[in-house]
Structures are given as structure tokens and as C-alpha cells.
Amino acid sequence: MAAALVKSEKFAKAVADVLQKVSEGTIDPVSKKDIRRRMEEKFDLKEKELDTFKSEISQVVDLELEKQDDDSGSEDDDGGAGEAAAPAPKKRKKAPAPAAEPKKKPKLVVITKSGAEAPKNAAKDQGDAMTGADFLANANDLEVKLFGNTVKGEPREFTSGKYGWYAGGKIEVEVNGKTIWGQLGINLVMIGSQTW
């Protein structure tokens, strides 16, 4: 039933109504996930029943947003869809910045203890490495030193059923001779641990 509903004109109209309310400012901006929850409620479906149709619903949302942009004569295009469905109310545009080099994406680099890369089948290889109880009893506490701060976390079982560490809090960072505060969150999840 849900598959046929997602492809129906009635579903597209309901999505368009939500997006219209967002653009009018009568409801707060919503994500595609929020739209799925609203549609489940509207069409008396079980919670998360539409999650298997994420890509189809994403296409409906994108199409309806394009229609609304066309109807309003807007030429703005942020180019990214992601999980965000409806943009926040428009803000005043900033003056154009002087021409500069295009921004580069920050590069993520991991240098492992041995210098090796993780195996392609790590989840399968480690699925029976130990039990969750063994991990909790024998794993050392996580300790990370970052910009002169020390952050610690104990081994834990996450709500997902996987095992690992979480550590976080506010830390001091020196930038351009000034000390500023930042919020740090670290999740270290052991690959394949959901079967422990």
C-alpha cells in the first residue's frame, strides 16, 4: 500500500501542502525525515513505514520544491538536497566578497598505528572477535589529547547495539593568539560489534 501511495498524486499534493506552509512561514522548516513522519501520520501509516521509500520521497520533495520555485519565479538554487527539505526563511544577502581562491574542502586524514588501512571486510572479520561483555570488561578507557586538552571516555554499548567509546565536552582552542571554546564529540564504534 505504501509503495502505491508514495507514487500517487494525493501524496505529492500532501507534500506540496507541507512545503507551502513552510514557505509561508506558518510552520518551521522541515527535513525530509520530518516530511516522512508527517505523511505517515496523515495517511495512518506505522511510524517509520515510509523509511524504505526515502529515495522516492526525496524525489517527490525535490520535484515539489522545484515547482514552488518555478511558481514563485525564484532563481535561487542552493544545489544541494541532502536531508533538508525546505529552506529557512530568506535572509538579507551579504555584500559580495572580494574575489578569492575557491574554498577547499578540509581533508580528512587518518594515520593508523601500524600504517595499514582497515581491511575491506572488517565487519565480517571482527563479527565474532569477542562478546560485548568481554569488550566492556577489558577495553581500556579512551583518552584523546587535542590542542592541549585531554578528553576521556569509558567503553560502552551504544543504543544501536554496537560497542565502542564516546567522549566529549567543551575544550579550549587557541586561534590567532586568542583562546576560544569549542564543543567536541567523539564516537569510536568498533566495526562488526553489533554481533558481539
Side-chain angles (χ1 to χ4, degrees), residues 14-196:
V15 169
D17 290 344
V18 170
L19 297 174
Q20 185 62 36
K21 289 177 182 176
V22 170
S23 69
E24 292 169 352
T26 56
I27 63 172
D28 289 334
V30 293
S31 68
K32 291 179 181 176
K33 179 179 179 181
D34 295 331
I35 288 176
R36 290 193 304 273
R37 297 295 90 83
R38 285 175 182 262
M39 295 302 106
E40 288 162 350
E41 188 175 317
K42 178 174 181 61
F43 294 107
D44 296 322
L45 300 172
K46 294 177 188 169
E47 186 175 342
K48 298 187 179 182
E49 187 172 344
L50 292 177
D51 284 0
T52 56
F53 302 98
K54 283 182 181 181
S55 62
E56 293 89 343
I57 293 170
S58 180
Q59 290 174 352
V60 171
V61 170
D62 292 343
L63 182 64
E64 292 303 323
L65 282 172
E66 284 178 27
K67 286 180 185 177
Q68 286 185 3
D69 282 348
D70 290 345
D71 292 346
S72 67
S74 171
E75 293 183 16
D76 288 343
D77 181 13
D78 65 0
E83 268 289 303
K90 292 184 180 180
K91 296 179 182 177
R92 187 179 305 161
K93 291 185 179 181
K94 295 180 182 178
E101 287 186 37
K103 287 186 177 181
K104 294 179 183 177
K105 284 188 173 182
K107 188 173 183 180
L108 302 175
V109 177
V110 175
I111 301 171
T112 62
K113 181 178 174 179
S114 67
E117 289 187 27
K120 299 291 182 207
N121 297 321
K124 183 179 171 186
D125 295 344
Q126 296 181 163
D128 59 357
M130 65 183 70
T131 67
D134 289 339
F135 176 80
L136 293 174
N138 297 305
N140 293 329
D141 288 352
L142 173 71
E143 184 173 318
V144 177
K145 295 189 185 299
L146 189 64
F147 298 116
N149 301 275
T150 301
V151 182
K152 297 180 180 182
E154 296 178 349
R156 61 174 289 167
E157 179 180 5
F158 293 100
T159 56
S160 65
K162 296 180 181 182
Y163 291 85
W165 294 263
Y166 170 79
K170 292 178 175 49
I171 63 169
E172 296 174 287
V173 181
E174 189 167 320
V175 177
N176 198 23
K178 295 181 181 178
T179 299
I180 56 177
W181 288 88
Q183 180 69 40
L184 175 70
I186 300 171
N187 278 339
L188 174 54
V189 180
M190 303 315 297
I191 299 169
S193 63
Q194 69 272 17
T195 60
W196 291 355

